[in-house]
Amino acid sequence: MGGLGSGRHRTQSVGVYEHQLVLCMRQVRQMDFIHPGRRSSGVVQWTSTRNGVSDQIGSVLLALDLRSADPGRAIIEARVDGELFRQEIALEWEPCRYGGRRLFFRCPISGRRCMKLAFAQGIWASRQALGLTYETQSADRLQRLGLRRARAEDKLFGLHGHRQPRGARRARLLNEWINAEMILDRSIESEISRRFARLS
């Protein structure tokens, strides 16, 4: 496992973004961690659902320290291979167009603001700085449709860190999931017919 600060900017893909643990500032906000002038902490967990059974695939202790006048910092602690892993991430506030302000992580490799950090090669950093690619970048058409259906399903049923939707948003996501399922089914049938035609 690489140490903190041992990462460097990479230009080649070293892994798939969706296969890593990803910490999102939206998730942090939903956990009610963002309180200027205070320090908040708690456990962030990641789960994977298969055949209706949820398994924990990772967890960290996250603390947001916003007590000082500077933007603050996030402290991430976890056990990795039996050893305590600890990393500090700088935070940055950005004014919103219509008032208020929004909190961002600052990537420890590139120094750029980001809403999401992925854990790879022993460090939390942005997807671009770690050289991670999206799953769809190396997928064919049917695989992309399958991934689209899976994303719609995750949002609809509140899986993999998504909040359980309600009301009009749930109805919209249900339609998206049904449409993605229908498009995938038709595409699979078309591909099967095409391959049978080539054999005849």
Side-chain angles (χ1 to χ4, degrees):
M1 182 184 74
L4 298 181
S6 64
R8 56 185 174 84
H9 185 74
R10 299 163 175 84
T11 56
Q12 294 183 334
S13 170
V14 295
V16 178
Y17 176 69
E18 288 88 351
H19 296 173
Q20 318 302 323
L21 298 181
V22 177
L23 181 62
C24 179
M25 187 59 78
R26 182 182 65 178
Q27 180 183 10
V28 174
R29 184 169 60 249
Q30 290 174 349
M31 295 179 69
D32 197 27
F33 275 25
I34 303 176
H35 296 283
R38 289 171 48 188
R39 184 181 190 277
S40 303
S41 64
V43 175
V44 181
Q45 296 181 338
W46 290 267
T47 59
S48 177
T49 303
R50 287 186 180 182
N51 300 322
V53 179
S54 295
D55 294 321
Q56 182 177 309
I57 58 176
S59 66
V60 298
L61 176 62
L62 174 69
L64 254 62
D65 192 346
L66 300 173
R67 292 175 294 185
S68 59
D70 61 14
R73 59 182 181 159
I75 302 101
I76 303 172
E77 294 183 352
R79 287 282 175 184
V80 179
D81 297 328
E83 296 185 5
L84 180 63
F85 169 90
R86 187 178 191 274
Q87 181 179 348
E88 292 189 12
I89 305 289
L91 302 174
E92 182 175 333
W93 291 101
E94 180 184 75
C96 296
R97 179 176 298 180
Y98 300 107
R101 55 182 183 169
R102 185 165 50 173
L103 192 63
F104 288 83
F105 297 113
R106 182 171 284 280
C107 174
I109 297 176
S110 67
R112 295 182 178 180
R113 291 194 304 266
C114 56
M115 287 294 292
K116 297 181 179 181
L117 298 173
F119 184 71
Q121 304 180 82
I123 190 171
W124 288 93
S126 66
R127 178 190 67 82
Q128 296 88 341
L130 289 169
L132 300 171
T133 57
Y134 289 115
E135 205 165 17
T136 53
Q137 290 178 264
S138 58
D140 61 23
R141 181 172 180 273
L142 285 180
Q143 289 172 327
R144 288 194 295 272
L145 289 173
L147 291 170
R148 177 184 173 189
R149 191 264 314 266
R151 284 195 297 270
E153 186 175 273
D154 288 350
K155 292 178 181 179
L156 176 63
F157 297 107
L159 306 176
H160 302 106
H162 293 284
R163 176 176 282 184
Q164 185 79 32
R166 297 181 180 179
R169 183 169 181 267
R170 179 175 176 79
R172 177 178 60 80
L173 290 174
L174 178 61
N175 285 331
E176 287 183 10
W177 179 58
I178 292 172
N179 288 336
E181 186 83 25
M182 291 173 59
I183 292 171
L184 178 60
D185 287 345
R186 285 198 299 265
S187 298
I188 292 174
E189 291 174 1
S190 176
E191 180 66 17
I192 292 173
S193 298
R194 186 181 67 83
R195 293 189 181 187
F196 270 114
R198 288 174 60 184
L199 292 174
S200 59

